[in-house]
Amino acid sequence: MSDQQMRTERDSMGEIEVPAAAKWQAQTQRAIDNFPISGRPIEPALIHALAAIKAASARARAESGALESDVAQAISQAAQEVAEGRWDAEFPIDVFQTGSGTSSNMNANEVIATLATEKLGRAVHPNDGVNDPFSSNDQFPSAIHIAAAAGVKDDLLPALEVLSKSLRRKETEFADAVKSGRTHLMDATPVTLGQEFGGYAAQVEFVAARLRDGLPHVGELPLGGSAVGTGINVPEGMAATVIADLAQQLDLPLTEATNHFAAQSSRDALAELSGTLRTVAIAFTKIANDIRWMGSGPTAGLAEIHLPDLQPGSSIMPGKVNPVLCEAMLQVSAQVIGNDAAVAFGASAGTFELNVMLPVIARNLLESVQLLANVSRVFALRCLDGIEADRDRMRRYAESSPSIVTALNHQLGYDEAASIAKQALKEGKTIREVVLERGHVADGKLTEEQLDEALDVLAMTRG
């Protein structure tokens, strides 16, 4: 680049060339040069949370008299702009960077300092003006916790509610749609399609409850521990003031860590959250697999339900339509389960007073939250809401299943019932036909009315 396109910035290591229009300064540029690894910057939600911390910190310092009011106002306004996402392009540092997130923390300090300088008309220092009195080591992990809590509360939980409501509507719609149950992928006693969808809804609601229960753990912040957990340079009460401000501004259950040494060096709450997200993915895998099995066909599969036709399914087989949203949900689930493995490995990297895999923990955790939220909504709106049931086919399956002989165990005994089932299957007859052939009605073991009542497949679904 020509000299006109660059400017010279200085830090404790000397001079470095920075793009003239960039809001960042020397330390950010060094990180850009040092980490050309994935081409993927850290999540915008994390930058926004980091900026929110710095805005609240500036306000708290002004109230305590530790920072001039005009400087604090300029910093707070600049940080708020960053928190609103107006300067996302100024945060290009790769996610695979220094493990504490110091590079991205300094990126935020420098961008906010530049913006504050422009507002104030005099220089604002990235460290003395924006970063003080906290450290990268307590601000960056706090920002991860805030971004994760906000993602769960404001995005994922509402999305799971959309999914749950869609499943509950289908539960009601299919309440009397009787079908063959299946265990081990083999015929079992009847259920209703509504009961199956009610089970899926309960799975979603249970994992949503686990996420809500875990939010206070995620909301416990290490802010105030400073460099190693001792709180060096942080005035007493400052962290609590900043956290209370953030809790009110963001409407999140944020609290100060009860033990800063544990909070500084471990990311157990984030690992716990990631594990719950993995459980969401496991539930989604079961639901998506069941639905694509039931929709398989149209002639060589189960074909119990019809999924909405969304797009052509083959470049060579005309007319083929695939369960694409089920497949998308399964792929999201696979990614989230893989992300959890990365988070678990990263969370185990707390060595003495600091975990040094913070950016990769954040990258995987926040991606999982976003992926699960997005697929929940699209799966509900574009797949579930349009599902139709083939009630006649399902009833034929249920009535022809040898497993319905289970209802006769008490009248005929297990061994005779098993023999009837095998004969019916071998000879292609119904259970009713075989029972009559064997003379169980003629010899008075049960009447035809009792036989018909016992073999009522819909009644079997009620216990």
Side-chain angles (χ1 to χ4, degrees):
M1 293 186 180
S2 68
D3 291 341
Q4 291 181 332
Q5 295 173 301
M6 303 295 287
R7 70 178 193 269
T8 301
E9 288 285 351
R10 296 171 181 81
D11 62 9
S12 61
M13 297 185 71
E15 295 184 348
I16 189 170
E17 295 297 294
V18 175
K23 300 298 183 184
W24 67 77
Q25 299 173 23
Q27 290 197 43
T28 300
Q29 189 62 47
R30 294 190 193 282
I32 293 170
D33 296 343
N34 285 336
F35 306 116
I37 298 173
S38 71
R40 175 173 176 167
I42 64 174
E43 296 289 330
L46 178 51
I47 291 298
H48 303 163
L50 194 56
I53 292 172
K54 296 179 186 297
S57 175
R59 292 191 290 269
R61 292 167 66 203
E63 291 173 6
S64 70
L67 188 65
E68 300 94 324
S69 61
D70 57 344
V71 176
Q73 184 176 11
I75 292 172
S76 180
Q77 289 175 350
Q80 187 60 39
E81 290 180 8
V82 173
E84 292 169 359
R86 293 166 59 180
W87 298 99
D88 285 355
E90 297 294 325
F91 294 86
I93 299 174
D94 201 276
V95 67
F96 296 99
Q97 55 168 282
T98 177
S100 62
T102 298
S103 296
S104 285
N105 182 57
M106 281 307 303
N107 189 177
N109 290 335
E110 290 179 346
V111 170
I112 292 169
T114 297
L115 295 172
T117 295
E118 293 171 356
K119 295 177 184 299
L120 191 62
R122 66 178 190 273
V124 175
H125 196 278
N127 296 81
D128 298 336
V130 181
N131 193 68
D132 188 70
F134 301 113
S135 164
S136 300
N137 294 353
D138 59 350
Q139 290 180 92
F140 194 80
S142 293
I144 302 174
H145 284 246
I146 291 170
V152 170
K153 174 184 171 291
D154 298 332
D155 198 8
L156 180 52
L157 285 174
L160 291 176
E161 185 175 3
V162 170
L163 181 60
S164 172
K165 286 182 176 178
S166 179
L167 290 164
R168 289 296 183 191
R169 286 193 296 270
K170 291 300 174 182
E171 177 187 20
T172 300
E173 180 182 347
F174 301 142
D176 60 349
V178 67
K179 56 168 289 185
S180 178
R182 293 184 180 88
T183 60
H184 303 270
L185 289 180
M186 307 298 286
D187 296 354
T189 54
V191 297
T192 68
L193 187 60
Q195 287 170 330
E196 289 184 327
F197 275 85
Y200 305 149
Q203 274 192 280
V204 172
E205 290 157 7
F206 291 155
V207 292
R210 293 185 184 107
L211 287 168
R212 281 192 293 270
D213 290 345
L215 276 177
H217 302 160
V218 179
E220 187 173 326
L221 305 184
L223 193 69
S226 188
V228 294
T230 61
I232 189 171
N233 287 347
V234 180
E236 185 175 354
M238 177 66 70
T241 299
V242 172
I243 292 169
D245 186 346
L246 290 167
Q248 182 178 16
Q249 294 290 327
L250 303 175
D251 189 25
L252 292 172
L254 305 178
T255 57
E256 186 176 356
T258 55
N259 186 297
H260 278 284
F261 295 98
Q264 198 92 344
S265 61
S266 68
R267 300 273 64 81
D268 294 352
L270 299 182
E272 177 185 22
L273 172 59
S274 182
T276 306
L277 298 175
R278 180 191 62 206
T279 305
V280 177
I282 290 168
F284 282 8
T285 300
K286 189 266 193 294
I287 294 167
N289 267 330
D290 276 9
I291 288 173
R292 67 172 179 162
W293 268 106
M294 286 189 284
S296 61
T299 61
L302 298 178
E304 293 179 329
I305 61 175
H306 177 72
L307 306 183
D309 293 342
L310 297 177
Q311 62 188 62
S314 173
S315 61
I316 192 172
M317 291 175 280
K320 192 172 189 292
V321 180
N322 297 330
V324 291
L325 280 174
C326 293
E327 292 166 0
M329 178 172 267
L330 290 167
Q331 291 176 81
V332 164
S333 298
Q335 184 65 60
V336 169
I337 291 169
N339 286 353
D340 177 60
V343 171
F345 192 89
S348 69
T351 306
F352 294 111
E353 278 67 60
L354 188 67
N355 182 290
V356 289
M357 289 205 187
L358 297 179
V360 78
I361 291 173
R363 172 248 185 271
N364 286 279
L365 187 65
L366 297 178
E367 181 184 69
S368 291
V369 170
Q370 193 64 62
L371 287 174
L372 291 170
N374 291 346
V375 82
S376 294
R377 290 188 175 92
V378 72
F379 190 75
L381 299 176
R382 296 189 63 79
C383 181
L384 288 177
D385 286 352
I387 287 176
E388 298 173 352
D390 188 332
R391 293 170 180 262
D392 291 340
R393 182 188 294 267
M394 288 192 299
R395 179 172 279 273
R396 286 199 304 273
Y397 285 164
E399 290 177 343
S400 64
S401 170
S403 293
I404 65 172
V405 77
T406 302
L408 300 174
N409 280 358
H410 291 165
Q411 292 94 334
L412 306 180
Y414 182 93
D415 290 340
E416 175 62 8
S419 181
I420 291 170
K422 290 177 182 179
Q423 181 181 341
L425 188 60
K426 181 179 180 180
E427 298 178 2
K429 296 178 179 179
T430 67
I431 296 295
R432 188 180 191 279
E433 288 171 337
V434 175
V435 170
L436 291 173
E437 284 181 12
R438 290 194 175 206
H440 293 306
V441 171
D443 66 14
K445 288 185 178 177
L446 73 170
T447 66
E448 281 199 57
E449 291 76 13
Q450 288 173 323
L451 176 61
D452 290 337
E453 183 180 347
L455 295 181
D456 182 341
V457 290
L458 183 58
M460 290 183 198
T461 68
R462 298 171 186 143

